Amino acid sequence: MGESRALEPDEWEFWHSWMQAQRLLVNELDRGLQQAHGISKAEFSVLITLHRAPGNQMRVGELAESLGWDKSRVAHLLTRMEKRELLIRTEGASDGRRVGIGLTAEGLRVARSAVVSHGENIRRSFFDTLAPEQAAAIQSWSRQTVGRFDAQDDDRGPA
Protein backbone atom coordinates (compact mmCIF):
# COMPACT_ATOMS: atom_id res chain seq x y z
CA MET A 1 0.00 0.00 0.00
CA GLY A 2 1.23 3.53 -0.75
CA GLU A 3 2.29 6.03 1.86
CA SER A 4 -0.56 8.11 3.29
CA ARG A 5 -0.38 11.81 2.52
CA ALA A 6 -2.23 14.45 4.49
CA LEU A 7 -4.02 17.15 2.56
CA GLU A 8 -2.26 20.47 2.27
CA PRO A 9 -4.05 23.59 3.56
CA ASP A 10 -4.86 24.75 0.02
CA GLU A 11 -6.31 21.32 -0.77
CA TRP A 12 -8.50 21.49 2.34
CA GLU A 13 -9.67 24.96 1.25
CA PHE A 14 -10.45 23.68 -2.25
CA TRP A 15 -12.37 20.72 -0.79
CA HIS A 16 -14.31 22.97 1.59
CA SER A 17 -15.23 25.36 -1.26
CA TRP A 18 -16.29 22.45 -3.48
CA MET A 19 -18.53 20.96 -0.77
CA GLN A 20 -20.00 24.35 0.14
CA ALA A 21 -20.77 25.12 -3.53
CA GLN A 22 -22.52 21.76 -3.95
CA ARG A 23 -24.54 22.25 -0.76
CA LEU A 24 -25.63 25.76 -1.76
CA LEU A 25 -26.54 24.68 -5.30
CA VAL A 26 -28.57 21.69 -4.08
CA ASN A 27 -30.35 23.85 -1.50
CA GLU A 28 -31.23 26.45 -4.15
CA LEU A 29 -32.59 23.80 -6.52
CA ASP A 30 -34.55 22.14 -3.70
CA ARG A 31 -36.04 25.51 -2.72
CA GLY A 32 -37.18 26.05 -6.31
CA LEU A 33 -38.96 22.66 -6.44
CA GLN A 34 -40.60 23.29 -3.08
CA GLN A 35 -41.78 26.80 -3.92
CA ALA A 36 -42.99 26.11 -7.45
CA HIS A 37 -44.43 22.62 -7.03
CA GLY A 38 -44.58 21.75 -3.33
CA ILE A 39 -42.26 18.78 -3.79
CA SER A 40 -38.83 17.82 -2.49
CA LYS A 41 -35.88 16.74 -4.61
CA ALA A 42 -36.51 13.15 -3.51
CA GLU A 43 -40.16 13.39 -4.62
CA PHE A 44 -39.04 14.92 -7.92
CA SER A 45 -36.67 11.97 -8.44
CA VAL A 46 -39.51 9.50 -7.88
CA LEU A 47 -41.90 11.38 -10.18
CA ILE A 48 -39.37 11.67 -13.01
CA THR A 49 -38.26 8.04 -12.70
CA LEU A 50 -41.87 6.90 -12.96
CA HIS A 51 -42.57 9.38 -15.77
CA ARG A 52 -39.76 7.78 -17.80
CA ALA A 53 -40.92 4.22 -17.05
CA PRO A 54 -43.16 2.30 -19.46
CA GLY A 55 -46.77 3.09 -18.57
CA ASN A 56 -45.53 5.52 -15.89
CA GLN A 57 -45.27 2.65 -13.38
CA MET A 58 -42.71 0.30 -11.87
CA ARG A 59 -42.34 -2.33 -9.20
CA VAL A 60 -41.32 -0.73 -5.91
CA GLY A 61 -38.08 -2.75 -5.76
CA GLU A 62 -37.11 -1.62 -9.26
CA LEU A 63 -37.82 1.99 -8.32
CA ALA A 64 -35.63 1.71 -5.21
CA GLU A 65 -32.82 0.14 -7.22
CA SER A 66 -33.01 2.71 -10.01
CA LEU A 67 -32.78 5.53 -7.44
CA GLY A 68 -30.01 3.83 -5.45
CA TRP A 69 -32.08 4.03 -2.27
CA ASP A 70 -32.98 1.36 0.27
CA LYS A 71 -36.51 0.00 0.15
CA SER A 72 -37.54 1.43 3.53
CA ARG A 73 -36.67 4.98 2.43
CA VAL A 74 -38.66 4.50 -0.76
CA ALA A 75 -41.61 2.94 1.08
CA HIS A 76 -41.96 5.89 3.48
CA LEU A 77 -41.70 8.43 0.67
CA LEU A 78 -44.20 6.57 -1.51
CA THR A 79 -46.72 6.45 1.33
CA ARG A 80 -46.50 10.23 1.76
CA MET A 81 -46.77 10.80 -2.00
CA GLU A 82 -49.73 8.42 -2.26
CA LYS A 83 -51.56 10.37 0.47
CA ARG A 84 -51.02 13.52 -1.62
CA GLU A 85 -52.52 11.68 -4.62
CA LEU A 86 -49.35 11.93 -6.72
CA LEU A 87 -49.00 8.13 -6.87
CA ILE A 88 -51.18 5.06 -6.83
CA ARG A 89 -50.25 1.54 -5.72
CA THR A 90 -50.77 -1.17 -8.31
CA GLU A 91 -51.39 -4.86 -7.76
CA GLY A 92 -49.19 -7.70 -8.92
CA ALA A 93 -50.74 -9.64 -11.79
CA SER A 94 -50.80 -13.07 -10.16
CA ASP A 95 -51.21 -12.68 -6.41
CA GLY A 96 -53.05 -9.40 -5.92
CA ARG A 97 -50.36 -7.92 -3.65
CA ARG A 98 -49.76 -4.20 -4.06
CA VAL A 99 -46.18 -4.32 -5.31
CA GLY A 100 -46.17 -1.63 -7.97
CA ILE A 101 -46.43 2.12 -8.02
CA GLY A 102 -47.66 4.43 -10.76
CA LEU A 103 -48.29 8.09 -11.42
CA THR A 104 -51.75 9.51 -11.00
CA ALA A 105 -52.95 12.22 -13.40
CA GLU A 106 -51.89 14.78 -10.78
CA GLY A 107 -48.48 13.12 -10.40
CA LEU A 108 -47.98 13.23 -14.15
CA ARG A 109 -49.01 16.90 -14.26
CA VAL A 110 -46.58 17.79 -11.46
CA ALA A 111 -43.76 15.78 -13.09
CA ARG A 112 -44.23 17.50 -16.45
CA SER A 113 -44.33 21.02 -15.01
CA ALA A 114 -41.52 20.39 -12.51
CA VAL A 115 -39.12 19.08 -15.15
CA VAL A 116 -39.47 22.36 -17.05
CA SER A 117 -39.02 24.73 -14.11
CA HIS A 118 -36.33 22.58 -12.49
CA GLY A 119 -34.43 22.55 -15.78
CA GLU A 120 -34.68 26.34 -15.94
CA ASN A 121 -33.34 26.59 -12.38
CA ILE A 122 -30.46 24.22 -13.18
CA ARG A 123 -29.58 26.29 -16.24
CA ARG A 124 -29.74 29.59 -14.33
CA SER A 125 -27.92 28.38 -11.21
CA PHE A 126 -25.33 26.12 -12.83
CA PHE A 127 -24.86 26.09 -16.60
CA ASP A 128 -25.20 29.83 -17.17
CA THR A 129 -22.44 30.47 -14.63
CA LEU A 130 -19.87 28.26 -16.37
CA ALA A 131 -17.53 29.04 -19.24
CA PRO A 132 -17.55 26.26 -21.88
CA GLU A 133 -14.12 25.06 -20.72
CA GLN A 134 -15.32 24.82 -17.14
CA ALA A 135 -18.39 22.83 -18.16
CA ALA A 136 -16.23 20.47 -20.25
CA ALA A 137 -13.78 19.95 -17.38
CA ILE A 138 -16.54 19.25 -14.85
CA GLN A 139 -18.29 16.87 -17.26
CA SER A 140 -15.06 15.00 -17.99
CA TRP A 141 -14.18 14.69 -14.29
CA SER A 142 -17.75 13.61 -13.43
CA ARG A 143 -17.75 10.85 -16.04
CA GLN A 144 -14.32 9.67 -14.90
CA THR A 145 -15.41 9.62 -11.26
CA VAL A 146 -18.67 7.77 -11.98
CA GLY A 147 -16.75 5.24 -14.07
CA ARG A 148 -14.20 4.68 -11.32
CA PHE A 149 -16.82 4.10 -8.63
CA ASP A 150 -18.99 1.97 -10.90
CA ALA A 151 -15.95 -0.22 -11.59
CA GLN A 152 -15.29 -0.52 -7.84
CA ASP A 153 -18.92 -1.56 -7.29
CA ASP A 154 -18.61 -4.16 -10.06
CA ASP A 155 -15.46 -5.55 -8.41
CA ARG A 156 -17.26 -5.82 -5.05
CA GLY A 157 -20.16 -7.79 -6.49
CA PRO A 158 -23.79 -7.66 -5.31
CA ALA A 159 -24.52 -6.04 -1.97
Side-chain angles (χ1 to χ4, degrees), residues 43-58 63 87 101-104 107-113 115:
E43 291 168 327
F44 175 80
S45 296
V46 168
L47 291 174
I48 294 309
T49 301
L50 290 171
H51 180 49
R52 292 179 178 155
N56 297 325
Q57 58 186 8
M58 301 176 83
L63 177 63
L87 306 175
I101 196 79
L103 290 178
T104 62
L108 185 58
R109 185 196 66 74
V110 171
R112 287 178 174 160
S113 64
V115 76

Side-chain angles (χ1 to χ4, degrees), residues 7 9-27 125-126 129-130 133-146 148-149:
L7 293 179
D10 60 329
E11 292 172 320
W12 276 115
E13 178 57 32
F14 175 36
W15 180 250
H16 173 73
S17 296
W18 172 256
M19 297 306 294
Q20 184 178 21
Q22 285 183 304
R23 199 168 36 254
L24 291 169
L25 178 61
V26 167
N27 288 344
S125 299
F126 182 69
T129 68
L130 297 173
E133 314 80 54
Q134 291 173 310
I138 292 169
Q139 184 176 39
S140 175
W141 176 84
S142 297
R143 287 179 176 160
Q144 176 187 27
T145 301
V146 168
R148 186 176 71 242
F149 284 107

